[in-house]
Amino acid sequence: MAVAVDVSRFENVSMAPPDPILGVSEAFKADTDATKLNLGVGAYRTEDLQPYVLKVVNKAEQLMLERGENKEYLPIEGLAAFNKATAELLLGADNPVIKNGQIATVQGLSGTGSLRLGAAFIARYFPGVKVLISSPTWGNHKNILSDVGVPWSEYRYFDPQTVGLDFKGMIEDIKGAPNGSVILLHGCAHNPTGIDPTPEQWEAIADELEEKGHMPFFDVAYQGFASGSLDDDASSVRKFASRGFEMFVAQSYSKNLGLYAERIGAINVILPTADLAARVKSQLKRLARPMYSNPPVHGARIVANVVGDSVLFDEWRAEMQMMAGRIKGVRQKLYEALLSKDKSGKDWSFILKQIGMFSFTGLTKSQSDNMTDKWHVYMTKDGRISLAGLNLAKCDYLADAIIDSYYNVK
Amino acid sequence: MSTAAAPASSVPAGARSGWWEAVQPAARDPILGVTEAFLADSDPKKVNVGVGAYRNDEGKPVVLECVRKAEQIIAGKQNMEYLPMGGLVKFNDLSVKLAYGDTAPVLEEKRVAAVQTLSGTGACRLFADFQKRFKPDSRIYIPVPTWANHHNIWRDARVEAHTFRYYKPSTRGLDFEGLMEDLKKAPEGSFVLLHACAHNPTGVDPTADQWKEMSQLFKSNRLFPFFDMAYQGFASGDTVRDAQAIRIFMEDGHQLACAQSFAKNMGLYGQRVGCLSVVCDNSQQAVNVKSQLQQIARPMYSNPPLHGAQIVTTVLSDPELKEQWYKEVKVMADRIIGMREALKSNLEKLGSSLPWKHITEQIGMFCYSGLTEDQVDRLTKEFHIYMTRNGRISMAGVTTGNVEYLANAIHEVTK
C-alpha cells in the first residue's frame, strides 16, 4: 500500500513566465476574427501563409530513406561532411582560413546550441570577459549568456528617431567597453530590427574592434535567407576573417533550409593557427559531451546531401532566392500601400532598407496593442513584425492598421 | 583607424594577446575515443567491444524493422516547424507510459512533468541543471563505477558530487552492504543516481529485494531517487521487467525522476531521443516543474529535434509496430545473452583458472571483465581488441565470428 513519501521537493518551484513570442501565437489561434494576421511568427510562410518544407529537403530525405543509412552515434563534433560543408558555405571553399586549417567547426543544435557552445567556451576560457549584445537583440541571447554565467552589457543599435541604425551610439559603446571584450554581431538580417550596417559601417566597426582588441562573435542565422545570396549574406563575416580577426561564428540552417525542427547548425572558431584550432575544437567537444554527448544526425545529413549534390545545391539556391524574393516583394507592396495611404510625407522607406524576416516598425507598445486589439494584427510588443507572416493580399490591410496605430494612438 | 588587410595567420594590431593561452588539447573521451582508435586500425582481425552500440551477429549496426517502417510512414511529412521547448507532447506521453506503466496512478493524476530531451545525456543534464537551480545546496550521489559522462554532467552543472560503493571487485557483483552504508551517511535531501537496469559499465543490478530495501532507506532518510534508464527492454528483453526498480519505488510512494533513452532499445543512437520525467506532488506542480525545465532547455538548444521523436511516437502508438518492436528488442537482448554464454564457455574450455561466471550473471550490454588496464592495453596492442580501459566489454560487439578469438586473447593476457 503506497504511503506518499513526505518529500515535497519542488514546493519552491514556481511557474516560469510565459514565453513572450509563444504567447502571440496562442492569442492569434484563439482569435476568431476573419481578418486576423499573425505577424509574430519567426518561421517562413508561403504566399498562402502555410509552413514550407523546401523541395530539396524532401528530395534529400527521400535519398536518405532509399539508401537506408544506419543510425549510429555521430562523433561528438558531429558529421564530418556537414562540418566541412558548413565552414565552406560560411567562408567560401577557397578561403585561406579553411585551406590552412585555421578553423574549428563543431556541429551544434542549430543557432541556439552553437551560441551556447561558444558562450560556454568563453565562460570557461575567458573568465571575466564581458560580452556586448545589441539593444535590442534576440531575447534568447541574454538567456544563453546568463545561464553560462558570462557578464554582458548592451551596445546601442536601434535608433527610434530614424527607425534605423544608431551607428554613432554603437561605435561609442563598443569603444567604451573594456579592451578585449567580445562583441556579439548579427551577420545579416538583424533580429529583431532587420537593420544591418552598410559595408562601410562594417569596416568602421571592424576598425573599432581591432583598436580595442575585441573579439567578434557573429550570429549567422539567415545566410542566404536575407538577400537570397549565400555569398552576399556572408560578406560581413568574410570581411572580418580577411582582416585577420580571431572570432566565433554561430550558424543555423533553420531558416535558409527550413530545417527548424531538426536543430542543425554549427559553432566555428577562426584562429591564428591550425594547432590552436585543434585545441579549441577538442575543448568545444568537452563542453558538448556533458550536454548531449553528440548531435542529432538527421538534419546534418540533409544539409550534407543538399550541399554535396550540385543539382540539389542549385535548387536550394533557387528556393532561397524564392523565399527572400517573396519577403522583398511584400516589403515593396507594404511600402507602396503606406505611401499611397499616408500623405503626410513620413518616410516609410525603412521598410525597404531593412532586410530579412523581421521589421522594426517603430510602433510603441500601445500602438502595437492597437494593432492587435483593433485590427487583429498579432505582433510582438516591441513593434516587431514578421514579414514571413505577411502576403501580398494583406498588405493593404496591414498598411491601414499601421497608419491608424501610428497616428491615432499615443 | 584602419590598418592594411592583414594576412589570415597574423594577429591584428591592438588585439588582445593570448586569448587562447589557457586552451590545452583535451584528453580523448575515454569511451568515444576507443571507437576513433578502432576505426583508425587497419588490422583485419580487429574487434570493437568499446562503444555501447548494438551489433548483429555479422558485427554490423542494425536499424530495427519497426523503425524503418515508421520512417516510411512519416516520410514526406510537410512539417519542419519548431517543436515546443518541451518537445513532442505525444512522444512525452508515450515515453512516460513506457517507463511508469500505461495506467500508473501518477499519470492518471497528471503528476508527471515530462520533457523530450537530447537522449539520456540530455535528460541527465537537464535534471542536473534543474537540481542546481532549485536545490543549489544539495548533493548528487553517484555509484562507483558509473558511466564516465555522469561525472562530467553533474560537474558542469556545478552540483556537489559524492560517490557510493556499488561494484565489489572480489565477487564481480554488487557491494550491497557498502552501498547501504554509504547512502545511510548521505544528508537528508540528497539526490541519488541509480541505474534502473543493466548498470553501465558493470552489468550488475540489485535484486528486487535489494531494491525494496533501498526504497525503504530512501524513504526514511529523505533521499531523492534519480533513475537513469538507458536500457529498458534491452536488458532482459522485457520492458516491464526492466522497469521493475522504478515500479518498486513508485509503489512505495516516492517522487522520483527518470531519464529515458531510446538510443539502444530502439537503435536510435544518432537521432538523440530521450525523455526526462519528474514525479510531482500534484498536477499544478507538474506544470510548474515542466515550465522550469523548459526554461533550462531554451538557452541550451531552444527545442529538441523532431525526427527521432516522430519515429518513437509512430512505433509506440501503432499496436502492430509496437508488437514488432517488443520482438526486435527481445532478439537483441537474447543475442547478447547468448554471447555471454558463449564467451564464458569458451574461456572455460581454454582452461582458464579465473572465475568467469560473472559474465553470465551480469546483464545488459556490458560485462565488467575484471581485466586490468595493463591487460586491456595488451589486448589492444597485441590483438587489436578495443575496449575501455576499465575492462568493460561491450557484449553487443561480440559475435559468433569473433567470440573464440576474444576468449583466446583474454585467456592469453590473464593466464
Side-chain angles (χ1 to χ4, degrees):
Chain A
M1 156 72 182
V3 175
V5 177
D6 177 27
V7 176
S8 194
R9 292 284 160 174
F10 304 119
E11 68 278 1
N12 62 330
V13 176
S14 59
M15 181 74 165
D19 185 281
I21 297 175
L22 213 68
V24 171
S25 282
E26 276 161 19
F28 172 80
K29 274 192 207 121
D31 189 331
T32 52
D33 191 285
T35 62
K36 69 177 181 177
L37 194 56
N38 186 359
L39 301 188
V41 67
Y44 180 79
R45 294 286 176 267
T46 62
E47 181 65 22
D48 296 324
L49 300 183
Q50 295 304 310
Y52 182 64
V53 177
L54 274 72
K55 295 190 181 58
V56 287
V57 168
N58 282 328
K59 286 183 185 175
E61 282 190 313
Q62 189 55 37
L63 277 171
M64 285 155 61
L65 209 56
E66 282 160 20
R67 268 189 233 122
E69 286 161 335
N70 68 44
K71 300 196 177 312
E72 293 297 283
Y73 289 125
L74 282 178
I76 303 172
E77 68 265 32
L79 186 67
F82 166 78
N83 287 343
K84 180 170 185 294
T86 199
E88 289 178 359
L89 281 173
L90 180 67
L91 295 173
D94 295 330
N95 197 296
V97 163
I98 292 185
K99 290 189 153 164
N100 298 336
Q102 289 170 240
I103 183 167
T105 300
V106 168
Q107 180 186 335
L109 296 165
S110 203
T112 306
S114 306
L115 287 160
R116 176 57 176 257
L117 283 179
F121 186 96
I122 289 167
R124 183 170 282 182
Y125 287 100
F126 312 150
V129 168
K130 189 152 65 153
V131 175
L132 272 75
I133 59 180
S134 64
S135 171
T137 193
W138 181 48
N140 213 15
H141 282 149
K142 292 176 189 169
N143 300 328
I144 293 168
L145 294 170
S146 297
D147 271 26
V148 299
V150 166
W152 57 266
S153 67
E154 289 174 295
Y155 58 86
R156 278 166 284 171
Y157 195 82
F158 176 65
D159 183 351
Q161 303 300 324
T162 59
V163 198
L165 178 62
D166 179 359
F167 184 62
K168 187 159 167 291
M170 178 180 184
I171 294 293
E172 257 174 49
D173 290 343
I174 288 176
K175 221 192 262 287
N179 284 9
S181 297
V182 174
I183 313 294
L184 185 58
L185 301 159
H186 298 226
C188 64
H190 183 271
N191 177 1
T193 67
I195 297 163
D196 286 347
T198 63
E200 297 72 35
Q201 286 172 330
W202 274 123
E203 288 284 4
I205 292 165
D207 290 344
E208 206 51 55
L209 263 73
E210 215 171 79
E211 186 76 18
K212 297 282 300 182
H214 292 330
M215 173 161 323
F217 191 152
F218 278 97
D219 183 353
V220 177
Y222 300 98
Q223 188 186 359
F225 188 92
S227 70
S229 158
L230 285 164
D231 292 324
D232 290 353
D233 288 344
S235 58
S236 60
V237 173
R238 292 179 188 183
K239 181 191 301 289
F240 276 63
S242 72
R243 285 182 59 159
F245 277 96
E246 300 157 50
M247 59 203 213
F248 291 81
V249 186
Q251 294 170 282
S252 165
Y253 290 86
S254 290
K255 286 82 173 176
N256 61 8
L257 247 178
L259 291 174
Y260 306 93
E262 299 302 349
R263 320 312 294 130
I264 178 66
I267 180 68
N268 301 274
V269 190
I270 297 177
L271 292 139
T273 66
D275 172 68
L276 265 173
R279 281 155 54 183
V280 167
K281 182 164 171 165
S282 76
Q283 294 298 349
L284 286 169
K285 286 162 65 171
R286 260 187 80 227
L287 287 161
R289 174 64 158 150
M291 251 191 249
Y292 51 82
S293 279
N294 36 69
V297 65
H298 195 69
R301 279 189 179 147
I302 293 174
V303 176
N305 276 294
V306 169
V307 173
D309 177 307
S310 60
V311 172
L312 289 179
F313 198 170
D314 284 343
E315 281 184 31
W316 179 32
R317 277 192 252 260
E319 288 194 89
M320 269 189 289
Q321 273 165 7
M322 180 275 294
M323 290 191 288
R326 190 183 96 63
I327 294 199
K328 283 185 212 167
V330 293
R331 283 185 181 274
Q332 183 67 35
K333 183 123 198 250
L334 177 62
Y335 171 69
E336 285 163 8
L338 285 162
L339 222 54
S340 79
K341 291 164 193 284
D342 178 11
K343 298 304 181 192
S344 75
K346 175 174 160 66
D347 184 5
W348 292 102
S349 67
F350 62 84
I351 303 257
L352 297 179
K353 291 184 194 137
Q354 291 165 0
I355 188 169
M357 196 183 283
F358 300 115
S359 172
F360 241 39
T361 56
L363 293 176
T364 64
K365 183 178 181 308
S366 43
Q367 290 167 341
S368 300
D369 285 342
N370 185 66
M371 294 285 285
T372 306
D373 300 339
K374 183 170 172 189
W375 295 89
H376 305 274
V377 172
Y378 290 79
M379 51 190 280
T380 48
K381 299 308 172 190
D382 52 5
R384 184 192 88 167
I385 57 173
S386 167
L387 281 321
L390 178 65
N391 59 7
L392 297 169
K394 294 291 272 179
C395 284
D396 233 53
Y397 179 80
L398 182 59
D400 285 336
I402 291 174
I403 286 167
D404 173 58
S405 305
Y406 183 76
Y407 287 108
N408 300 332
V409 178
K410 285 308 146 209
Chain B
M1 188 180 83
S2 75
T3 59
S9 57
S10 75
V11 175
R16 186 188 119 135
S17 63
W19 280 99
W20 314 102
E21 276 161 0
V23 182
Q24 294 309 309
R28 263 216 166 119
D29 182 278
I31 301 168
L32 301 173
V34 170
T35 296
E36 284 173 11
F38 169 82
L39 289 169
D41 187 334
S42 54
D43 191 288
K45 296 189 306 300
K46 66 180 182 177
V47 175
N48 186 0
V49 284
V51 75
Y54 182 78
R55 296 284 177 267
N56 62 17
D57 201 45
E58 280 82 55
K60 297 269 179 276
V62 169
V63 177
L64 300 187
E65 267 313 302
C66 62
V67 167
R68 290 238 185 267
K69 287 190 183 150
E71 280 194 304
Q72 291 291 347
I73 291 170
I74 66 179
K77 64 179 187 287
Q78 289 306 306
N79 177 21
M80 276 288 187
E81 295 295 286
Y82 291 123
L83 280 177
M85 289 182 279
L88 194 56
V89 171
K90 187 133 194 245
F91 165 79
N92 291 330
D93 287 346
L94 290 164
S95 289
V96 294
K97 284 194 166 134
L98 185 64
Y100 300 111
D102 285 343
T103 54
V106 290
L107 293 179
E108 320 236 291
E109 293 159 24
K110 300 196 190 304
R111 287 169 50 203
V112 178
V115 295
Q116 179 190 337
T117 56
L118 278 290
S119 206
T121 307
C124 287
R125 177 57 178 267
L126 215 57
F127 186 79
D129 280 355
F130 177 76
Q131 178 187 352
K132 182 63 183 178
R133 187 166 286 188
F134 290 96
K135 294 289 169 195
D137 301 324
S138 68
R139 301 176 175 187
I140 183 75
Y141 278 77
I142 297 179
V144 179
T146 194
W147 179 51
N149 208 21
H150 282 143
H151 284 283
N152 299 334
I153 290 168
W154 268 272
R155 184 199 59 226
D156 273 22
R158 287 183 271 225
V159 172
E160 184 185 320
H162 294 257
T163 58
F164 62 94
R165 279 168 286 171
Y166 191 85
Y167 177 72
K168 192 183 243 180
S170 55
T171 59
R172 291 173 172 62
L174 181 65
D175 181 359
F176 189 60
E177 299 75 31
L179 179 157
M180 292 298 277
E181 228 178 86
D182 288 349
L183 289 182
K184 277 184 182 130
K185 295 201 210 112
E188 278 196 15
S190 294
F191 292 69
V192 183
L193 170 65
L194 301 164
H195 297 227
C197 62
H199 180 273
N200 176 2
T202 69
V204 170
D205 286 348
T207 62
D209 285 337
Q210 288 170 331
W211 279 122
K212 284 176 183 150
E213 237 186 279
M214 285 163 67
S215 172
Q216 290 309 310
L217 173 66
F218 278 51
K219 260 167 103 157
S220 56
N221 289 26
R222 285 191 82 239
L223 300 175
F224 185 100
F226 178 78
F227 283 97
D228 184 353
M229 184 156 67
Y231 300 97
Q232 188 184 9
F234 197 93
S236 69
D238 179 340
T239 57
V240 172
R241 179 144 169 240
D242 288 345
Q244 70 165 344
I246 292 180
R247 311 286 167 93
I248 286 169
F249 274 66
M250 292 299 298
E251 263 193 44
D252 286 349
H254 285 284
Q255 284 171 310
L256 48 82
C258 177
Q260 285 170 277
S261 166
F262 289 91
K264 286 82 169 172
N265 61 10
M266 242 190 244
L268 293 172
Y269 307 92
Q271 304 339 78
R272 318 312 293 127
V273 201
C275 180
L276 169 66
S277 53
V278 183
V279 178
C280 301
D281 285 344
N282 52 56
S283 59
Q284 183 56 55
Q285 199 183 79
V287 168
N288 292 359
V289 167
K290 179 167 173 154
S291 77
Q292 294 293 351
L293 291 172
Q294 290 174 174
Q295 288 292 92
I296 296 171
R298 190 158 164 258
M300 227 190 266
Y301 49 84
S302 280
N303 35 69
L306 173 64
H307 191 72
Q310 271 192 324
I311 292 173
V312 175
T313 302
T314 303
V315 170
L316 293 183
S317 56
D318 178 318
E320 265 184 49
L321 285 178
K322 191 171 179 188
E323 260 317 299
Q324 183 168 27
W325 175 54
Y326 282 145
K327 290 200 176 87
E328 291 190 271
V329 151
K330 189 162 189 318
V331 164
M332 292 195 285
D334 285 347
R335 192 185 90 67
I336 288 183
I337 290 168
M339 285 300 102
R340 286 181 179 275
E341 281 157 9
L343 180 60
K344 172 165 166 280
S345 69
N346 267 283
L347 283 161
E348 287 166 351
K349 254 189 277 169
L350 286 164
S352 174
S353 57
L354 299 173
W356 294 111
K357 68 174 168 54
H358 58 283
I359 295 179
T360 49
E361 282 174 352
Q362 292 166 2
I363 189 170
M365 200 180 279
F366 302 113
C367 165
Y368 223 41
S369 60
L371 291 167
T372 65
E373 285 182 352
D374 287 339
Q375 290 168 336
V376 170
D377 287 343
R378 277 191 65 196
L379 282 177
T380 306
K381 288 197 184 75
E382 295 170 36
F383 297 93
H384 305 273
I385 293 171
Y386 290 81
M387 65 177 72
T388 48
R389 292 184 85 229
N390 54 8
R392 183 191 86 166
I393 297 174
S394 172
M395 295 307 299
V398 181
T399 67
T400 52
N402 66 25
V403 65
E404 268 183 54
Y405 178 73
L406 180 60
N408 276 327
I410 291 175
H411 181 52
E412 278 304 309
V413 305
T414 56
K415 66 182 183 192

